[in-house]
Amino acid sequence: MMNKKSLEIYVHIPFCSRKCAYCDFLSFPGNERTQRDYTEKLIEEIDYQSAFAKEYQVVSVFIGGGTPSILKTEDMEAVLNALNSHFDILPDAEITMETNPGTVTQEALLSYRKAGVNRISMGLQSADDKELRYLGRIHTYDEFLKSFQRVRMAGFDNVNVDLISAIPGQTVDSWKNTLKKVTMLKPEHISAYSLIIEEGTPYYDRYGDHVEMESYSMTKEERKRLMALPDLPDEDSEREMYYLTQEFLMEQGYERYEISNYSKKGYECRHNIGYWTGIEYLGLGLGASSYMNGCRFHNTTDLSDYRNASFDQDEGFTQALRQELERLSIEEKMEEYMFLGLRLTNGVSAHDFVSNFGQNIRNVYGQVLDKLEREGLMEFKDGYYKLTSHGIDVSNYAMSQFLL
Ligand code: SF4
């Protein structure tokens, strides 16, 4: 029998209790009725899309958002059951669910586990309640602790905690305190990103490098609170936090396997690694992106278009759902392969490059690789080209060299 190709599945649940002030993800509050309608449509989509994935075996599933754990337990069960019955999911596939503190009950966690979820990702961001308030998060550190205990009690032994550094008002000491408190809990995986001020968010109004204010539906009171937020840490403190993250987490037994991701040995997130190493993926739900058969596309980001999408006929589906169908050229595929692969501390395998593109990596990128090596930003070891630690620090510059 022919070997099936590997596929990753991403499922997007766009609902959150409230929008965080820095967030530019496709997420918004939604009442119970809206969430129920969305779930029904999503299940229709799962059914429909599975017909296009018959030649694939699913190696990982990531249910993200938004806040997936906000859905009613029976709705999430229905989504998980639909995935299990329509796709060929490998028995040892990694199945991750994102949760936010304060939105998970013991009953819900047990039902996720029963339906095959074997990894929980928790959005904490900071262990300092003041910083959490500045971010606009709905939870306190205490609520996170309770949720973390519930996750462990439900039997999950693969847990990620998301953190953000360079938050308004944050100091190097308070960041260290967050790292200390979190590592004491011994999660298997920690994602630690620096805050990015994204256009189109309230934070952009407060901290962005521009004059015009965006027009949000904010009350006067909310705007006043936004403008009263403390300043961002200065550049030196931000750098210090960045170096402290690596140093501290590595001391605590975590390995840095990607620019912003750390794990205990054997607990690297397989879904993310698959994405960074070019495994095909299928996105289900509002705005979800896919990359299959050399084509990149994403679902509509308009909730009412998504709700009205017809899954009965190809025509309706293509027009209402799939947007920006883009066939990548060989050069674009190579560029993407390098950008994503170099995020990993293992780097890019010279052997895999040949298998993927039928060309020696040196024929395409020889000059760039030599130049970066001379600059001390790149090294070649055991068949892999990888960024040095200095290269990782200036990764934007290093990666920009790989544009063809
Ligand atoms: S919980 Fe996450 S997805 Fe939801 S608004 Fe906050 S940052 Fe955005």
Side-chain angles (χ1 to χ4, degrees), residues 202-302:
Y203 262 27
Y204 192 68
D205 272 359
R206 171 66 180 86
Y207 302 109
D209 192 12
H210 65 307
V211 188
E212 287 290 309
M213 288 281 177
E214 303 262 353
S215 52
Y216 298 106
S217 51
M218 250 192 257
T219 61
K220 263 192 174 161
E221 211 33 56
E222 283 168 334
R223 183 162 289 284
K224 216 169 126 196
R225 269 206 302 277
L226 179 72
M227 291 306 148
L229 287 179
D231 288 341
L232 294 172
D234 60 29
E235 224 173 278
D236 287 350
S237 311
E238 195 196 322
R239 277 280 103 178
E240 217 180 307
M241 290 180 203
Y242 170 82
Y243 290 116
L244 176 70
T245 310
Q246 306 164 34
E247 203 181 296
F248 190 87
L249 292 181
M250 283 157 93
E251 262 170 35
Q252 299 302 313
Y254 290 87
E255 277 184 25
R256 185 192 206 184
Y257 70 96
E258 193 266 346
I259 295 180
S260 308
N261 284 280
Y262 298 79
S263 78
K264 297 278 183 187
K265 210 167 183 43
Y267 287 94
E268 299 82 7
C269 174
R270 276 152 52 194
H271 185 84
N272 284 348
I273 291 185
Y275 173 70
W276 290 316
T277 51
I279 292 185
E280 291 176 81
Y281 54 90
L282 172 64
L284 302 163
L286 189 69
S289 303
S290 304
Y291 175 62
M292 284 174 84
N293 298 316
C295 263
R296 197 158 45 190
F297 50 91
H298 69 80
N299 284 354
T300 176
T301 54
D302 184 304

Side-chain angles (χ1 to χ4, degrees), residues 15-16 18-20 22-25 27 65-67 100 125 137:
F15 306 108
C16 286
R18 187 178 75 198
K19 190 83 178 162
C20 300
Y22 60 97
C23 176
D24 78 330
F25 299 137
S27 66
T67 306
N100 274 322
Q125 320 312 351
R137 305 286 302 180

Side-chain angles (χ1 to χ4, degrees), residues 178-390:
T178 287
L179 292 173
K180 263 190 200 158
K181 283 182 163 171
V182 170
T183 48
M184 270 162 60
L185 298 170
K186 302 191 187 327
E188 286 67 29
H189 190 286
I190 295 176
S191 294
Y193 287 86
S194 294
L195 178 71
I196 296 177
I197 305 298
E198 302 283 4
E199 253 181 81
T201 64
Y203 262 27
Y204 192 68
D205 272 359
R206 171 66 180 86
Y207 302 109
D209 192 12
H210 65 307
V211 188
E212 287 290 309
M213 288 281 177
E214 303 262 353
S215 52
Y216 298 106
S217 51
M218 250 192 257
T219 61
K220 263 192 174 161
E221 211 33 56
E222 283 168 334
R223 183 162 289 284
K224 216 169 126 196
R225 269 206 302 277
L226 179 72
M227 291 306 148
L229 287 179
D231 288 341
L232 294 172
D234 60 29
E235 224 173 278
D236 287 350
S237 311
E238 195 196 322
R239 277 280 103 178
E240 217 180 307
M241 290 180 203
Y242 170 82
Y243 290 116
L244 176 70
T245 310
Q246 306 164 34
E247 203 181 296
F248 190 87
L249 292 181
M250 283 157 93
E251 262 170 35
Q252 299 302 313
Y254 290 87
E255 277 184 25
R256 185 192 206 184
Y257 70 96
E258 193 266 346
I259 295 180
S260 308
N261 284 280
Y262 298 79
S263 78
K264 297 278 183 187
K265 210 167 183 43
Y267 287 94
E268 299 82 7
C269 174
R270 276 152 52 194
H271 185 84
N272 284 348
I273 291 185
Y275 173 70
W276 290 316
T277 51
I279 292 185
E280 291 176 81
Y281 54 90
L282 172 64
L284 302 163
L286 189 69
S289 303
S290 304
Y291 175 62
M292 284 174 84
N293 298 316
C295 263
R296 197 158 45 190
F297 50 91
H298 69 80
N299 284 354
T300 176
T301 54
D302 184 304
L303 185 60
S304 60
D305 283 353
Y306 183 75
R307 286 216 302 238
N308 294 330
S310 156
F311 294 109
D312 298 336
Q313 31 172 309
D314 276 5
E315 241 347 65
F317 164 75
T318 312
Q319 283 168 10
L321 191 71
R322 284 194 179 183
Q323 299 191 337
E324 290 188 24
L325 198 64
E326 180 192 9
R327 187 163 287 285
L328 298 187
S329 67
I330 184 82
E331 286 80 14
E332 285 167 326
K333 283 187 197 165
M334 287 177 179
E335 287 168 0
E336 194 162 290
Y337 191 77
M338 296 307 289
F339 297 156
L340 295 173
L342 288 174
R343 294 189 62 88
L344 293 164
T345 48
N346 267 351
V348 169
S349 150
H351 176 266
D352 289 353
F353 192 94
V354 180
S355 320
N356 275 306
F357 303 111
Q359 296 192 54
N360 188 307
I361 190 169
R362 294 209 55 85
N363 292 346
V364 186
Y365 284 121
Q367 282 185 359
V368 175
L369 295 168
D370 291 345
K371 173 174 176 271
L372 292 175
E373 210 165 330
R374 277 196 307 277
E375 291 170 348
L377 306 179
M378 166 83 63
E379 61 185 348
F380 181 66
K381 213 170 153 198
D382 302 330
Y384 282 80
Y385 285 97
K386 56 174 115 176
L387 294 179
T388 58
S389 57
H390 183 37

